Amino acid sequence: MKNIKLSTKHLEKLDESLYSYQNSSPLIKPKLVSINKKLAKKLGFTNEQIDSKEFIEFINGSYIANGSNTYANAYGGHQFGYQVLSLGDGRALNLGKIGDQHIQLKGSGITPYSRDGDGRAVLRSSIREYLVSEAMYGLNIPTTRAMAIIDSSTRVYRNYDVETASIVLRTSSSWIRFGSFEFAYNSKNPKENLEKLADFVIDESYPHLKDIQNRYEELYFGIVDRTIELIVLWQSVGFMHGVMNTDNMSIAGLTIDYGPYAFMEEFDKGFICNLSDKEGRYSFENQPFIAQWNLYVLAKTFSPIANEEILESYNDQFIGRFKQSYFELMANKLGLVDYEYHKDNNLITKLFKAMEDDNVDYTSFFYGLSWNTLDLEGKNINAWLGEYHQRLQQESISQEERLDKMKKINPKYVLRNYMLQDAIDAAEKDDFTLVNDFLEIAQNPFGEHPEYEYYTKPKPEWEPLRCSCSS
Ligand code: AMP
Ligand code: MG
């Protein structure tokens, strides 16, 4: 792997309190579960390297590439509304950057931030993270990505089970979280550390702000803007993150740290995908409000370097702006090009109600609408369809043009939890076919994939599968 060079030069710009050098603890008998060749090639790995023994060692953290100097990041956060001063990469290790991408191993052993954890990640949650990051990428939603996953003979203990330890190699243009700013804010030199951190973030993720006045204020505005865009996209595909703690919120507006996430199946706006979330703080309909809440926490941490009141009033507009773009995107999903905010929002709101009343599957509804193949029984949804077809009379484009547009934004596939569970069950018996096939589907969710048609619908004996935080 001679041509693979990693760089940790960026650390010179980050205060030393924000990271710790740490070696990996490689897994025993690592074996490859899946490689995302498209991403590997993009990063500069050749076919020969991908097939080499060093490649698995690289993912296992036992092959140290040129220029690599491994470290874990410190951060704080608000978990389920409560402040935790000291969190950090408890099981992730950064190897350095290739180009503008940070290369990170998740599950490679304990770090100074592991607290009571073992620094490991089990196979099931690693498969979930590996596949969904590529699914979000395939759906054109800002996200970290995943290049490979290995399993091993190393054992880990979760609840009452014995499981095997895995590692996912993740990449991202930034790993800075809202919680990183909380950490700097609570440090001994908040002003200095925050300025350094904000400049670091501008350098990596908002380079257009580099030389402008009030750049910290503008940075905050940029983070609000990107967060709005991200949550609009999540809601539009029915994505639920499940653990929107401030330490899981990316400063660059990416989806990060996938845990008990789910995609909406039979529509239920109050759906809670995380079994550990007893009160539904992170339910589907709460996501925009929680994002805004998290941004208020972030505004407070900016107070030593910017005018907090100005930041807060910018964030006050979050929900109004969110609604505007969300309804516009939903109108696009319905193929309405001559969209009128108030009138059509009413139609869209009625759709949600009808879907909920008749237990309509979210993804296959929009897909069926785009291909003119809907055949639903529910009284409410059919009444709504009648209203929708009337509304279409006022559209200035032809049906063909409309369906063409809709096909481009309404996917056939999302990663349903039972689908992931099938891949996990097989992988736990050493059969990685589904993981690899689903990677292909995840990256091309608008494609046909006729052999997997079965997964375009909710499971016949439908009962939503929920996950907990334990992973
Ligand atoms: P999460 O909610 O999964 O993002 O994790 C919250 C915090 O707990 C992060 O700081 C993680 O690094 C840490 N953590 C989670 N699982 C483990 C583990 N098995 N060992 C060490 N730290 C962990
Ligand atoms: Mg996390």
Side-chain angles (χ1 to χ4, degrees):
M1 305 231 288
K2 282 210 186 70
N3 71 330
I4 296 301
K5 283 202 184 67
L6 289 139
S7 164
T8 47
K9 237 183 127 42
H10 56 278
L11 289 179
E12 290 166 11
K13 295 184 189 142
L14 204 57
D15 192 76
E16 283 174 10
S17 61
L18 275 157
Y19 62 93
S20 301
Y21 288 113
Q22 170 69 47
N23 290 332
S24 69
S25 313
L27 303 174
I28 303 165
K29 291 195 195 157
K31 63 179 173 220
L32 203 58
V33 174
S34 177
I35 298 181
N36 176 0
K37 283 198 178 165
K38 286 193 186 116
L39 179 57
K41 292 212 172 133
K42 209 169 162 181
L43 290 168
F45 291 91
T46 61
N47 276 332
E48 201 185 324
Q49 286 172 335
I50 292 171
D51 295 332
S52 71
K53 210 171 116 244
E54 281 90 30
F55 191 75
I56 297 179
E57 289 171 2
F58 178 62
I59 299 154
N60 197 16
S62 55
Y63 176 96
I64 305 301
N66 229 331
S68 181
N69 208 347
T70 54
Y71 66 94
N73 274 123
Y75 46 83
H78 275 72
Q79 299 190 309
F80 290 91
Y82 296 97
Q83 187 175 32
V84 185
L85 290 175
S86 178
L87 287 162
D89 293 330
R91 52 173 169 172
L93 209 58
N94 295 286
L95 307 184
K97 277 172 108 168
I98 298 180
D100 64 356
Q101 294 297 307
H102 290 271
I103 308 297
Q104 186 184 80
L105 305 179
K106 182 170 178 181
S108 54
I110 56 172
T111 75
Y113 314 112
S114 298
R115 295 174 296 159
D116 298 330
D118 57 8
R120 296 300 185 197
V122 296
L123 178 64
R124 61 187 156 85
S125 56
S126 303
I127 289 175
R128 287 174 55 87
E129 168 138 23
Y130 177 73
L131 289 176
V132 79
S133 17
E134 290 306 296
M136 295 299 261
Y137 176 77
L139 292 165
N140 304 312
I141 299 179
T143 179
T144 62
R145 297 190 66 187
M147 191 185 79
I149 173 171
I150 56 171
D151 189 27
S152 73
S153 306
T154 302
R155 294 167 177 221
V156 282
Y157 304 92
R158 295 283 183 272
N159 301 324
Y160 296 98
D161 290 326
V162 183
E163 301 185 50
T164 55
S166 295
I167 293 177
V168 175
L169 188 149
R170 315 194 284 187
T171 69
S172 183
S173 58
S174 165
W175 282 113
I176 305 296
R177 301 140 190 276
F178 290 15
S180 316
F181 278 77
E182 291 175 62
F183 190 86
Y185 176 74
N186 290 305
S187 68
K188 288 207 183 91
N189 300 313
K191 187 163 188 293
E192 200 187 314
N193 285 347
L194 283 162
E195 276 174 357
K196 254 178 144 173
L197 181 58
D199 284 330
F200 180 84
V201 168
I202 288 173
D203 200 43
E204 278 202 329
S205 310
Y206 298 83
H208 57 288
L209 300 180
K210 208 168 189 155
D211 297 318
I212 64 162
Q213 259 197 335
N214 295 337
R215 64 183 186 283
Y216 300 138
E217 216 168 273
E218 289 293 332
L219 171 62
Y220 181 83
F221 297 166
I223 298 165
V224 173
D225 294 352
R226 287 199 199 169
T227 306
I228 294 175
E229 276 169 46
L230 181 69
I231 308 297
V232 165
L233 292 169
W234 283 7
Q235 301 302 110
S236 78
V237 298
F239 176 78
M240 295 167 266
H241 183 283
V243 204
M244 286 174 71
N245 294 333
T246 54
D247 52 299
N248 291 336
M249 295 288 294
S250 153
I251 217 83
L254 309 169
T255 318
I256 59 169
D257 282 16
Y258 295 95
Y261 67 86
F263 284 92
M264 184 65 78
E265 296 191 59
E266 290 185 357
F267 191 76
D268 169 7
K269 64 181 182 334
F271 191 76
I272 306 162
C273 64
N274 181 353
L275 270 178
S276 317
D277 181 11
K278 300 291 178 225
E279 287 169 15
R281 179 181 175 87
Y282 300 135
S283 71
F284 177 69
E285 65 184 338
N286 278 356
Q287 292 190 130
F289 299 98
I290 288 294
Q292 186 191 31
W293 190 90
N294 290 339
L295 283 160
Y296 282 124
V297 172
L298 186 67
K300 173 113 217 125
T301 71
F302 266 66
S303 58
I305 58 169
N307 182 328
E308 192 184 351
E309 250 173 73
I310 296 178
L311 307 190
E312 282 174 343
S313 47
Y314 194 80
N315 192 29
D316 287 343
Q317 301 160 34
F318 184 108
I319 296 300
R321 291 182 50 206
F322 164 81
K323 275 194 179 146
Q324 183 96 31
S325 341
Y326 175 54
F327 278 103
E328 205 173 308
L329 185 51
M330 292 311 293
N332 281 340
K333 280 173 81 71
L334 293 172
L336 305 176
V337 294
D338 301 305
Y339 165 67
E340 281 179 56
Y341 189 69
H342 290 288
K343 238 166 68 200
D344 289 324
N345 289 1
N346 194 19
L347 185 72
I348 294 166
T349 309
K350 278 188 187 166
L351 169 62
F352 292 139
K353 174 90 174 60
M355 286 179 124
E356 192 150 87
D357 288 344
D358 290 352
N359 304 321
V360 176
D361 179 69
Y362 188 78
T363 304
S364 60
F365 174 79
F366 286 100
Y367 179 78
L369 205 61
S370 315
W371 290 81
N372 226 347
T373 53
L374 271 187
D375 180 17
L376 294 167
E377 278 171 8
K379 197 170 85 221
N380 302 291
I381 197 71
N382 278 303
W384 182 87
L385 283 167
E387 220 177 296
Y388 170 67
H389 283 117
Q390 275 218 315
R391 166 64 184 81
L392 291 182
Q393 308 285 317
Q394 297 154 32
E395 284 288 294
S396 55
I397 57 169
S398 70
Q399 156 147 313
E400 200 185 348
E401 278 175 281
R402 176 169 52 254
L403 296 184
D404 270 352
K405 282 181 190 291
M406 291 167 73
K407 282 169 192 161
K408 293 200 181 85
I409 57 168
N410 292 314
K412 180 170 182 179
Y413 292 90
V414 288
L415 292 179
R416 296 170 190 272
N417 268 345
Y418 83 94
M419 177 176 178
L420 287 161
Q421 195 55 48
D422 285 353
I424 290 165
D425 290 344
E428 285 176 345
K429 295 185 192 109
D430 274 341
D431 177 356
F432 306 131
T433 321
L434 284 183
V435 175
N436 283 296
D437 287 1
F438 290 174
L439 176 68
E440 178 70 29
I441 293 180
Q443 292 174 333
N444 304 288
F446 301 93
E448 279 300 306
H449 314 288
E451 68 283 23
Y452 286 113
E453 193 81 33
Y454 170 73
Y455 291 113
T456 59
K457 307 224 157 26
K459 203 172 177 158
E461 65 283 12
W462 200 74
E463 160 99 32
L465 194 65
R466 296 168 217 249
C467 299
S468 73
C469 280
S470 125
S471 61

